[in-house]
Amino acid sequence: MTTRRTQAAVYNLTTKSLELGWAAPQVVAQRVGRMMTAGPNPSARDQQEFMRMGNEKVVAFCESWMGMWSEACTAYWQTAASLCATPQLLAPTAINPFAPFGVGKATKRLVKQQVHAVANVLSAGIDPIHAKAVSNAKRLARTPRSAQSARGK
């Protein structure tokens, strides 16, 4: 079960990374083209879009940072709880004398838990950025080209 959950989290992270890699250049191209078309005297609509661009970057960064921090803290406490719940699994025994050195069921479970935690932390970091970039790509793609070139005149 944990393996499927981890695979799903990694797949989700990969999908969002690819979508972000596709959407970000589109947004950059649309906005740079808009800046070039606007010239030294941008219209009020262009100025609003440029302010929005800056504000979105700051908000997305803060949301990303807080999401990653929150997931990292959650992973820390889950690991601590897991270690406290089964301390005997990490103690050497006649059956498994190498338990403290990373050999055994408890270690395998902790490794799976940490892989899933890393995927969750990275996913929490990319989610806000992905959401903004994809929505901006869709929104800016709807803006007709003739309206963009007319703004600069």
Side-chain angles (χ1 to χ4, degrees):
M1 170 126 174
T2 304
T3 305
R4 286 187 185 146
R5 195 177 75 183
T6 302
Q7 288 174 345
V10 170
Y11 180 78
N12 186 25
L13 179 62
T14 304
T15 303
K16 286 186 178 180
S17 297
L18 290 172
E19 289 175 355
L20 179 61
W22 183 255
Q26 291 177 359
V27 172
V28 170
Q30 289 278 349
R31 286 184 167 161
V32 168
R34 191 171 190 162
M35 287 178 194
M36 291 176 62
T37 304
N41 299 320
S43 66
R45 185 174 176 183
D46 287 333
Q47 288 178 1
Q48 183 181 10
E49 179 65 27
F50 302 152
M51 285 295 294
R52 181 180 187 169
M53 173 179 60
N55 290 337
E56 281 179 347
K57 288 183 186 336
V58 172
V59 170
F61 173 79
C62 291
E63 288 175 357
S64 175
W65 189 254
M66 289 303 296
M68 291 178 77
W69 182 81
S70 174
E71 283 296 326
C73 288
T74 301
Y76 170 80
W77 287 111
Q78 286 174 346
T79 302
S82 180
L83 288 173
C84 290
T86 56
Q88 71 279 5
L89 290 178
L90 293 176
T93 63
I95 298 171
N96 189 4
F98 300 110
F101 302 108
V103 180
K105 291 180 183 178
T107 305
K108 185 176 179 181
R109 187 179 67 223
L110 286 174
V111 167
K112 285 182 181 180
Q113 184 179 5
Q114 291 306 303
V115 168
H116 187 70
V118 168
N120 284 346
V121 169
L122 293 175
S123 185
I126 203 170
D127 281 347
I129 298 166
H130 170 267
K132 293 288 183 193
V134 170
S135 68
N136 281 338
K138 289 178 182 176
R139 180 178 57 83
L140 292 172
R142 285 192 306 260
T143 305
R145 292 264 181 214
S146 58
Q148 288 179 353
S149 60
R151 273 189 237 120
K153 293 180 181 179

